[in-house]
mmCIF file of all heavy atoms in Angstrom:
data_model
loop_
_atom_site.group_PDB
_atom_site.id
_atom_site.type_symbol
_atom_site.label_atom_id
_atom_site.label_comp_id
_atom_site.label_asym_id
_atom_site.label_seq_id
_atom_site.Cartn_x
_atom_site.Cartn_y
_atom_site.Cartn_z
ATOM 1 N N VAL A 60 0.873 -1.186 -0.002
ATOM 2 C CA VAL A 60 0.000 -0.004 0.014
ATOM 3 C C VAL A 60 0.899 1.255 -0.019
ATOM 4 O O VAL A 60 1.759 1.362 0.864
ATOM 5 C CB VAL A 60 -0.929 0.021 1.236
ATOM 6 C CG1 VAL A 60 -1.760 1.313 1.241
ATOM 7 C CG2 VAL A 60 -1.809 -1.216 1.297
ATOM 8 N N VAL A 61 0.731 2.124 -0.987
ATOM 9 C CA VAL A 61 1.509 3.357 -1.100
ATOM 10 C C VAL A 61 0.561 4.502 -1.172
ATOM 11 O O VAL A 61 -0.299 4.554 -2.011
ATOM 12 C CB VAL A 61 2.416 3.300 -2.343
ATOM 13 C CG1 VAL A 61 3.193 4.611 -2.528
ATOM 14 C CG2 VAL A 61 3.366 2.115 -2.337
ATOM 15 N N GLU A 62 0.737 5.457 -0.254
ATOM 16 C CA GLU A 62 -0.146 6.617 -0.188
ATOM 17 C C GLU A 62 0.645 7.928 -0.056
ATOM 18 O O GLU A 62 1.432 8.080 0.856
ATOM 19 C CB GLU A 62 -1.059 6.486 1.050
ATOM 20 C CG GLU A 62 -1.996 5.242 0.964
ATOM 21 C CD GLU A 62 -2.769 5.049 2.275
ATOM 22 O OE1 GLU A 62 -2.403 5.657 3.293
ATOM 23 O OE2 GLU A 62 -3.709 4.258 2.269
ATOM 24 N N GLY A 63 0.450 8.793 -1.024
ATOM 25 C CA GLY A 63 1.013 10.140 -0.935
ATOM 26 C C GLY A 63 2.528 10.170 -0.906
ATOM 27 O O GLY A 63 3.067 11.018 -0.129
ATOM 28 N N LEU A 64 3.184 9.380 -1.643
ATOM 29 C CA LEU A 64 4.655 9.290 -1.556
ATOM 30 C C LEU A 64 5.332 10.452 -2.249
ATOM 31 O O LEU A 64 5.158 10.669 -3.445
ATOM 32 C CB LEU A 64 5.121 7.939 -2.192
ATOM 33 C CG LEU A 64 6.504 7.467 -1.863
ATOM 34 C CD1 LEU A 64 6.672 7.236 -0.373
ATOM 35 C CD2 LEU A 64 6.840 6.177 -2.612
ATOM 36 N N HIS A 65 6.179 11.156 -1.481
ATOM 37 C CA HIS A 65 6.963 12.275 -2.034
ATOM 38 C C HIS A 65 8.450 12.064 -1.789
ATOM 39 O O HIS A 65 8.827 11.559 -0.718
ATOM 40 C CB HIS A 65 6.541 13.608 -1.384
ATOM 41 C CG HIS A 65 5.243 14.155 -1.787
ATOM 42 N ND1 HIS A 65 4.030 13.664 -1.314
ATOM 43 C CD2 HIS A 65 4.947 15.126 -2.687
ATOM 44 C CE1 HIS A 65 3.045 14.333 -1.863
ATOM 45 N NE2 HIS A 65 3.575 15.224 -2.707
ATOM 46 N N LYS A 66 9.279 12.434 -2.768
ATOM 47 C CA LYS A 66 10.724 12.380 -2.579
ATOM 48 C C LYS A 66 11.388 13.453 -3.444
ATOM 49 O O LYS A 66 11.055 13.577 -4.624
ATOM 50 C CB LYS A 66 11.281 11.015 -2.924
ATOM 51 C CG LYS A 66 12.773 10.859 -2.696
ATOM 52 C CD LYS A 66 13.155 11.006 -1.218
ATOM 53 C CE LYS A 66 14.641 10.885 -0.970
ATOM 54 N NZ LYS A 66 14.999 11.024 0.438
ATOM 55 N N SER A 67 12.252 14.210 -2.822
ATOM 56 C CA SER A 67 12.998 15.260 -3.567
ATOM 57 C C SER A 67 14.458 15.125 -3.255
ATOM 58 O O SER A 67 14.886 14.668 -2.164
ATOM 59 C CB SER A 67 12.514 16.665 -3.188
ATOM 60 O OG SER A 67 11.187 16.860 -3.498
ATOM 61 N N TYR A 68 15.316 15.543 -4.193
ATOM 62 C CA TYR A 68 16.749 15.641 -4.004
ATOM 63 C C TYR A 68 17.064 17.152 -4.076
ATOM 64 O O TYR A 68 17.081 17.700 -5.205
ATOM 65 C CB TYR A 68 17.550 14.870 -5.015
ATOM 66 C CG TYR A 68 17.232 13.372 -4.955
ATOM 67 C CD1 TYR A 68 16.754 12.734 -6.071
ATOM 68 C CD2 TYR A 68 17.518 12.637 -3.790
ATOM 69 C CE1 TYR A 68 16.456 11.337 -6.000
ATOM 70 C CE2 TYR A 68 17.258 11.285 -3.746
ATOM 71 C CZ TYR A 68 16.715 10.659 -4.856
ATOM 72 O OH TYR A 68 16.481 9.283 -4.814
ATOM 73 N N LYS A 69 17.175 17.838 -2.920
ATOM 74 C CA LYS A 69 17.251 19.292 -2.859
ATOM 75 C C LYS A 69 16.025 19.866 -3.554
ATOM 76 O O LYS A 69 14.906 19.618 -3.133
ATOM 77 C CB LYS A 69 18.568 19.760 -3.453
ATOM 78 C CG LYS A 69 19.792 19.368 -2.596
ATOM 79 C CD LYS A 69 21.039 20.120 -3.070
ATOM 80 C CE LYS A 69 22.193 19.798 -2.118
ATOM 81 N NZ LYS A 69 23.465 20.462 -2.553
ATOM 82 N N ASP A 70 16.200 20.613 -4.649
ATOM 83 C CA ASP A 70 15.054 21.280 -5.279
ATOM 84 C C ASP A 70 14.469 20.445 -6.405
ATOM 85 O O ASP A 70 13.528 20.937 -7.101
ATOM 86 C CB ASP A 70 15.466 22.693 -5.772
ATOM 87 C CG ASP A 70 16.533 22.637 -6.775
ATOM 88 O OD1 ASP A 70 17.248 21.547 -6.871
ATOM 89 O OD2 ASP A 70 16.751 23.621 -7.510
ATOM 90 N N GLN A 71 14.937 19.252 -6.615
ATOM 91 C CA GLN A 71 14.411 18.410 -7.700
ATOM 92 C C GLN A 71 13.395 17.409 -7.098
ATOM 93 O O GLN A 71 13.728 16.524 -6.364
ATOM 94 C CB GLN A 71 15.548 17.647 -8.359
ATOM 95 C CG GLN A 71 16.556 18.499 -9.048
ATOM 96 C CD GLN A 71 17.664 17.730 -9.717
ATOM 97 O OE1 GLN A 71 17.614 16.537 -9.787
ATOM 98 N NE2 GLN A 71 18.668 18.438 -10.213
ATOM 99 N N LYS A 72 12.140 17.588 -7.514
ATOM 100 C CA LYS A 72 11.066 16.745 -7.030
ATOM 101 C C LYS A 72 11.011 15.476 -7.936
ATOM 102 O O LYS A 72 10.720 15.575 -9.111
ATOM 103 C CB LYS A 72 9.721 17.476 -7.055
ATOM 104 C CG LYS A 72 9.684 18.631 -6.089
ATOM 105 C CD LYS A 72 8.324 19.312 -6.093
ATOM 106 C CE LYS A 72 8.259 20.447 -5.092
ATOM 107 N NZ LYS A 72 6.902 21.072 -5.131
ATOM 108 N N VAL A 73 11.310 14.346 -7.347
ATOM 109 C CA VAL A 73 11.337 13.089 -8.091
ATOM 110 C C VAL A 73 10.038 12.394 -8.019
ATOM 111 O O VAL A 73 9.529 11.826 -8.998
ATOM 112 C CB VAL A 73 12.490 12.200 -7.627
ATOM 113 C CG1 VAL A 73 12.516 10.866 -8.366
ATOM 114 C CG2 VAL A 73 13.822 12.905 -7.715
ATOM 115 N N LEU A 74 9.405 12.374 -6.845
ATOM 116 C CA LEU A 74 8.050 11.780 -6.634
ATOM 117 C C LEU A 74 7.137 12.864 -6.079
ATOM 118 O O LEU A 74 7.494 13.561 -5.144
ATOM 119 C CB LEU A 74 8.128 10.616 -5.698
ATOM 120 C CG LEU A 74 8.991 9.383 -6.113
ATOM 121 C CD1 LEU A 74 8.962 8.325 -5.058
ATOM 122 C CD2 LEU A 74 8.559 8.845 -7.460
ATOM 123 N N LYS A 75 5.941 12.950 -6.642
ATOM 124 C CA LYS A 75 5.065 14.058 -6.352
ATOM 125 C C LYS A 75 3.721 13.608 -5.846
ATOM 126 O O LYS A 75 2.638 14.062 -6.285
ATOM 127 C CB LYS A 75 4.875 14.956 -7.549
ATOM 128 C CG LYS A 75 6.208 15.469 -8.136
ATOM 129 C CD LYS A 75 5.969 16.183 -9.465
ATOM 130 C CE LYS A 75 7.321 16.608 -10.093
ATOM 131 N NZ LYS A 75 7.125 17.256 -11.400
ATOM 132 N N GLY A 76 3.694 12.626 -4.939
ATOM 133 C CA GLY A 76 2.441 12.198 -4.369
ATOM 134 C C GLY A 76 1.923 10.886 -5.047
ATOM 135 O O GLY A 76 0.781 10.830 -5.450
ATOM 136 N N ILE A 77 2.782 9.865 -5.060
ATOM 137 C CA ILE A 77 2.397 8.600 -5.705
ATOM 138 C C ILE A 77 1.460 7.798 -4.826
ATOM 139 O O ILE A 77 1.717 7.680 -3.626
ATOM 140 C CB ILE A 77 3.665 7.761 -6.001
ATOM 141 C CG1 ILE A 77 4.624 8.514 -6.974
ATOM 142 C CG2 ILE A 77 3.348 6.408 -6.559
ATOM 143 C CD1 ILE A 77 4.088 8.643 -8.355
ATOM 144 N N ASP A 78 0.427 7.279 -5.441
ATOM 145 C CA ASP A 78 -0.518 6.355 -4.742
ATOM 146 C C ASP A 78 -0.741 5.136 -5.582
ATOM 147 O O ASP A 78 -0.979 5.244 -6.776
ATOM 148 C CB ASP A 78 -1.871 7.019 -4.535
ATOM 149 C CG ASP A 78 -1.836 8.217 -3.625
ATOM 150 O OD1 ASP A 78 -1.856 8.025 -2.425
ATOM 151 O OD2 ASP A 78 -1.812 9.350 -4.139
ATOM 152 N N PHE A 79 -0.624 3.946 -4.979
ATOM 153 C CA PHE A 79 -1.006 2.683 -5.650
ATOM 154 C C PHE A 79 -1.026 1.561 -4.608
ATOM 155 O O PHE A 79 -0.496 1.650 -3.510
ATOM 156 C CB PHE A 79 -0.099 2.338 -6.843
ATOM 157 C CG PHE A 79 1.310 2.044 -6.451
ATOM 158 C CD1 PHE A 79 1.713 0.775 -6.039
ATOM 159 C CD2 PHE A 79 2.299 3.033 -6.571
ATOM 160 C CE1 PHE A 79 3.031 0.496 -5.736
ATOM 161 C CE2 PHE A 79 3.645 2.770 -6.285
ATOM 162 C CZ PHE A 79 3.993 1.476 -5.885
ATOM 163 N N THR A 80 -1.665 0.486 -4.999
ATOM 164 C CA THR A 80 -1.704 -0.707 -4.183
ATOM 165 C C THR A 80 -1.451 -1.934 -5.064
ATOM 166 O O THR A 80 -1.613 -1.896 -6.276
ATOM 167 C CB THR A 80 -3.069 -0.926 -3.448
ATOM 168 O OG1 THR A 80 -4.086 -0.984 -4.449
ATOM 169 C CG2 THR A 80 -3.338 0.177 -2.468
ATOM 170 N N VAL A 81 -0.925 -3.011 -4.422
ATOM 171 C CA VAL A 81 -0.657 -4.249 -5.184
ATOM 172 C C VAL A 81 -1.358 -5.382 -4.412
ATOM 173 O O VAL A 81 -1.078 -5.614 -3.252
ATOM 174 C CB VAL A 81 0.832 -4.536 -5.293
ATOM 175 C CG1 VAL A 81 1.097 -5.744 -6.196
ATOM 176 C CG2 VAL A 81 1.597 -3.320 -5.768
ATOM 177 N N ARG A 82 -2.276 -6.052 -5.114
ATOM 178 C CA ARG A 82 -2.923 -7.165 -4.513
ATOM 179 C C ARG A 82 -1.995 -8.354 -4.325
ATOM 180 O O ARG A 82 -1.112 -8.577 -5.131
ATOM 181 C CB ARG A 82 -4.137 -7.652 -5.437
ATOM 182 C CG ARG A 82 -5.292 -6.622 -5.437
ATOM 183 C CD ARG A 82 -6.338 -7.104 -6.452
ATOM 184 N NE ARG A 82 -5.844 -6.951 -7.818
ATOM 185 C CZ ARG A 82 -5.895 -7.923 -8.732
ATOM 186 N NH1 ARG A 82 -6.433 -9.107 -8.398
ATOM 187 N NH2 ARG A 82 -5.458 -7.719 -9.946
ATOM 188 N N ARG A 83 -2.226 -9.169 -3.335
ATOM 189 C CA ARG A 83 -1.400 -10.335 -3.063
ATOM 190 C C ARG A 83 -1.464 -11.290 -4.209
ATOM 191 O O ARG A 83 -2.550 -11.563 -4.768
ATOM 192 C CB ARG A 83 -1.822 -11.021 -1.767
ATOM 193 C CG ARG A 83 -1.573 -10.167 -0.538
ATOM 194 C CD ARG A 83 -1.813 -10.954 0.746
ATOM 195 N NE ARG A 83 -1.795 -9.990 1.925
ATOM 196 C CZ ARG A 83 -0.663 -9.637 2.486
ATOM 197 N NH1 ARG A 83 0.498 -10.104 2.043
ATOM 198 N NH2 ARG A 83 -0.649 -8.821 3.513
ATOM 199 N N GLY A 84 -0.335 -11.890 -4.567
ATOM 200 C CA GLY A 84 -0.264 -12.910 -5.614
ATOM 201 C C GLY A 84 -0.486 -12.372 -7.034
ATOM 202 O O GLY A 84 -0.871 -13.147 -7.905
ATOM 203 N N THR A 85 -0.233 -11.097 -7.251
ATOM 204 C CA THR A 85 -0.355 -10.501 -8.547
ATOM 205 C C THR A 85 0.905 -9.759 -8.971
ATOM 206 O O THR A 85 1.824 -9.585 -8.134
ATOM 207 C CB THR A 85 -1.540 -9.531 -8.659
ATOM 208 O OG1 THR A 85 -1.281 -8.349 -7.785
ATOM 209 C CG2 THR A 85 -2.835 -10.159 -8.201
ATOM 210 N N VAL A 86 0.954 -9.291 -10.175
ATOM 211 C CA VAL A 86 2.054 -8.481 -10.695
ATOM 212 C C VAL A 86 1.554 -7.090 -11.025
ATOM 213 O O VAL A 86 0.597 -6.911 -11.772
ATOM 214 C CB VAL A 86 2.695 -9.088 -11.994
ATOM 215 C CG1 VAL A 86 3.810 -8.203 -12.502
ATOM 216 C CG2 VAL A 86 3.167 -10.487 -11.746
ATOM 217 N N LEU A 87 2.228 -6.123 -10.414
ATOM 218 C CA LEU A 87 1.952 -4.689 -10.779
ATOM 219 C C LEU A 87 3.181 -4.173 -11.464
ATOM 220 O O LEU A 87 4.270 -4.306 -10.976
ATOM 221 C CB LEU A 87 1.668 -3.845 -9.555
ATOM 222 C CG LEU A 87 1.470 -2.393 -9.908
ATOM 223 C CD1 LEU A 87 -0.029 -2.087 -10.025
ATOM 224 C CD2 LEU A 87 2.128 -1.439 -8.905
ATOM 225 N N ALA A 88 2.996 -3.609 -12.671
ATOM 226 C CA ALA A 88 4.068 -3.025 -13.392
ATOM 227 C C ALA A 88 4.038 -1.522 -13.254
ATOM 228 O O ALA A 88 3.016 -0.874 -13.494
ATOM 229 C CB ALA A 88 3.988 -3.373 -14.883
ATOM 230 N N LEU A 89 5.220 -0.935 -12.867
ATOM 231 C CA LEU A 89 5.403 0.500 -12.901
ATOM 232 C C LEU A 89 6.023 0.850 -14.247
ATOM 233 O O LEU A 89 7.182 0.456 -14.510
ATOM 234 C CB LEU A 89 6.336 0.971 -11.795
ATOM 235 C CG LEU A 89 5.768 0.862 -10.357
ATOM 236 C CD1 LEU A 89 6.773 1.392 -9.347
ATOM 237 C CD2 LEU A 89 4.486 1.621 -10.187
ATOM 238 N N LEU A 90 5.322 1.504 -15.081
ATOM 239 C CA LEU A 90 5.764 1.731 -16.447
ATOM 240 C C LEU A 90 6.094 3.247 -16.592
ATOM 241 O O LEU A 90 5.372 4.125 -16.130
ATOM 242 C CB LEU A 90 4.592 1.390 -17.369
ATOM 243 C CG LEU A 90 4.889 1.280 -18.860
ATOM 244 C CD1 LEU A 90 5.876 0.190 -19.149
ATOM 245 C CD2 LEU A 90 3.548 1.022 -19.610
ATOM 246 N N GLY A 91 7.246 3.532 -17.214
ATOM 247 C CA GLY A 91 7.594 4.953 -17.403
ATOM 248 C C GLY A 91 8.961 5.063 -18.011
ATOM 249 O O GLY A 91 9.723 4.103 -18.035
ATOM 250 N N PRO A 92 9.291 6.255 -18.540
ATOM 251 C CA PRO A 92 10.620 6.472 -19.123
ATOM 252 C C PRO A 92 11.699 6.611 -18.076
ATOM 253 O O PRO A 92 11.413 6.679 -16.886
ATOM 254 C CB PRO A 92 10.430 7.766 -19.922
ATOM 255 C CG PRO A 92 9.420 8.511 -19.080
ATOM 256 C CD PRO A 92 8.493 7.469 -18.554
ATOM 257 N N ASN A 93 12.952 6.690 -18.563
ATOM 258 C CA ASN A 93 14.081 6.993 -17.617
ATOM 259 C C ASN A 93 13.757 8.316 -16.956
ATOM 260 O O ASN A 93 13.378 9.275 -17.569
ATOM 261 C CB ASN A 93 15.393 7.104 -18.381
ATOM 262 C CG ASN A 93 15.907 5.768 -18.904
ATOM 263 O OD1 ASN A 93 15.536 4.732 -18.336
ATOM 264 N ND2 ASN A 93 16.639 5.787 -19.977
ATOM 265 N N GLY A 94 13.975 8.337 -15.594
ATOM 266 C CA GLY A 94 13.773 9.556 -14.884
ATOM 267 C C GLY A 94 12.340 9.765 -14.438
ATOM 268 O O GLY A 94 12.057 10.776 -13.762
ATOM 269 N N ALA A 95 11.432 8.795 -14.636
ATOM 270 C CA ALA A 95 10.028 8.995 -14.275
ATOM 271 C C ALA A 95 9.876 8.873 -12.725
ATOM 272 O O ALA A 95 8.896 9.393 -12.182
ATOM 273 C CB ALA A 95 9.158 7.987 -14.976
#
């Protein structure tokens, strides 16, 4: 369970409030380009 996840490196915001959940026994793919 992921709720409101934020992460920055100084003034560079890398994560801006990520939310998602993964059901047991399943595959969740995080899809995105380099740097996403």
Side-chain angles (χ1 to χ4, degrees):
V60 178
V61 177
E62 298 173 345
L64 196 61
H65 286 79
K66 183 64 180 178
S67 298
Y68 299 119
K69 291 191 175 179
D70 59 343
Q71 296 182 8
K72 294 183 179 180
V73 179
L74 300 179
K75 305 173 184 177
I77 299 292
D78 295 279
F79 64 84
T80 57
V81 187
R82 290 175 291 130
R83 294 188 188 278
T85 66
V86 179
L87 177 97
L89 291 182
L90 193 63
N93 289 334

